């Protein structure tokens, strides 16, 4: 369901259903539709997906495209959509945005699910200046996107339609938004913010993820969350929402904050 939206906000889709609302934040290179295979398996749930500023349907919005701006945007989207009882589900870059949102301890937030998330503390041995410069060119062309998709981002075979979607979404972005993450956001240390997250968290890793490996998430993310569970989805690479949507849905719906009944007016949310 498309909701009438203010023109200065990122484009989003809010589908009414049972709560709490599952709010999905996409990866660097993705869009709201990255979550389609997940949302389709949540037919009765209240869900919200969005295209970050600078990406896909939000490519016309001006910068800045910083992580802080993306977090502020999503809080504004939630207010515009009237979402007051929710769980954040952030993938990769979207996971880092989810940490920043949760650090503000917004009213109505029940928990966060971090899927192949960028860690709070960047892995210094990996995130070198040379790596960041090379990464900034990963989406320069359809051919370079396909190479990253096949050799870095995934560990399983995808349908041709999904492969084509990945290329389209990774190219449908303003240049400033495309380079903001590899040149700056990926190296941003947000540990002091992540330590402020007070809601329960579930960290999900892909067994064969080359981008955010299992050990990196164990060492550079989980220790900074005060209430975190950790699980590994077998066989998958970094694009868990596209490679293992059924397993991801099972994990999300088993996460207690995502399965609690919606709060009624006047009820206090669980801590």
């Amino acid at each position: 369901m498309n909701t009438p939206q203010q023109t200065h906000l990122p484009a989003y889709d809010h589908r009414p259903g049972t709560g709490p609302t599952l709010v999905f934040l996409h990866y660097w290179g993705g869009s709201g539709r990255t979550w389609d295979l997940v949302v389709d398996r949540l037919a009765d749930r209240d869900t919200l997906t969005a295209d970050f500023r600078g990406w896909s349907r939000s490519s016309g919005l001006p910068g800045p495209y910083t992580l802080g701006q993306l977090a502020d945007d999503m809080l504004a989207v939630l207010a515009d959509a009237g979402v007051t009882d929710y769980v954040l589900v952030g993938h990769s870059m979207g996971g880092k945005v989810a940490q920043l949102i949760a650090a503000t301890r917004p009213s109505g937030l029940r928990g966060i699910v971090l899927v192949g998330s960028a860690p709070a503390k960047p892995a210094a041995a990996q995130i070198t200046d040379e790596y960041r410069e090379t990464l900034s060119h990963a989406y320069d062309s359809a051919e370079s996107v396909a190479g990253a998709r096949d050799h870095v981002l995934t560990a399983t075979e995808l349908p041709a339609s999904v492969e084509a979607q990945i290329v389209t979404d990774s190219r449908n972005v303003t240049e400033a938004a495309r380079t903001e993450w590899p040149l700056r956001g990926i190296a941003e240390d947000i540990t002091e913010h992540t330590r402020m997250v007070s809601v329960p968290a579930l960290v999900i890793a892909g067994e064969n993820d080359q981008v955010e490996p299992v050990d990196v998430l164990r060492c550079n993310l989980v220790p900074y969350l005060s209430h975190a569970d950790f699980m590994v989805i077998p066989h998958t690479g970094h694009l868990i929402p596209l490679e293992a949507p059924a397993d991801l849905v099972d994990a999300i719906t088993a996460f207690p904050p995502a399965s609690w009944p919606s709060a009624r007016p006047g009820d206090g949310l669980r801590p």
Side-chain angles (χ1 to χ4, degrees):
M1 173 182 176
N2 290 324
T3 306
Q5 298 158 30
Q6 300 179 39
T7 56
H8 65 281
L9 291 177
Y12 68 87
D13 297 294
H14 182 203
R15 189 187 68 188
T18 59
T21 306
L22 299 174
V23 179
F24 295 97
L25 311 178
H26 67 78
Y27 75 105
W28 177 68
S31 70
R33 66 177 183 162
T34 297
W35 299 100
D36 282 356
L37 297 176
V38 173
V39 171
D40 288 348
R41 289 169 166 81
L42 295 164
D44 298 325
R45 289 300 300 265
D46 198 281
T47 61
L48 187 147
T49 58
D51 297 340
F52 280 139
R53 179 179 296 265
W55 294 88
S56 194
R57 295 171 301 168
S58 303
S59 59
L61 293 180
Y65 305 104
T66 61
L67 294 173
Q69 180 63 58
L70 301 187
D72 288 345
D73 281 347
M74 287 310 304
L75 286 169
V77 163
L78 292 172
D80 188 64
V83 172
T84 58
D85 181 28
Y86 60 99
V87 171
L88 295 171
V89 185
H91 175 220
S92 194
M93 179 182 75
K96 204 163 185 178
V97 175
Q99 293 168 62
L100 291 176
I101 295 171
T104 69
R105 300 182 178 180
S107 176
L109 177 63
R110 292 173 176 261
I112 57 173
V113 180
L114 302 175
V115 183
S117 175
K121 184 177 182 63
Q126 176 188 357
I127 311 301
T128 63
D129 290 347
E130 181 181 3
Y131 173 82
R132 289 158 56 197
E133 177 62 28
T134 299
L135 185 62
S136 71
H137 296 288
Y139 300 154
D140 279 359
S141 67
E143 292 74 20
S144 64
V145 174
R149 177 197 65 206
D150 296 343
H151 302 295
V152 179
L153 294 173
T154 61
T156 59
E157 187 173 347
L158 296 172
S161 59
V162 175
E163 290 186 341
Q165 174 186 313
I166 291 168
V167 173
T168 298
D169 285 351
S170 297
R171 295 285 296 149
N172 192 6
V173 58
T174 62
E175 182 177 357
R178 177 175 60 82
T179 57
E180 174 63 32
W181 171 251
L183 295 183
R184 284 168 285 277
I186 196 172
E188 188 174 335
D189 187 326
I190 63 166
T191 52
E192 292 308 310
H193 295 275
T194 305
R195 284 192 177 105
M196 296 176 66
V197 176
S198 58
V199 295
L202 172 62
V203 177
I204 300 175
E207 180 184 23
N208 300 316
D209 190 337
Q210 298 181 59
V211 179
E212 304 296 354
V214 171
D215 288 345
V216 168
L217 297 187
R218 280 202 181 106
C219 297
N220 291 43
L221 177 55
V222 173
Y224 300 101
L225 293 161
S226 57
H227 309 287
D229 291 326
F230 184 76
M231 68 172 292
V232 178
I233 294 181
H235 313 305
T236 186
H238 187 59
L239 298 189
I240 299 172
L242 298 170
E243 294 184 81
D247 291 335
L248 183 53
V249 166
D250 288 345
I252 293 169
T253 54
F255 181 48
S259 60
W260 289 332
S262 290
R264 294 169 296 183
D267 286 350
L269 294 178
R270 291 175 173 87

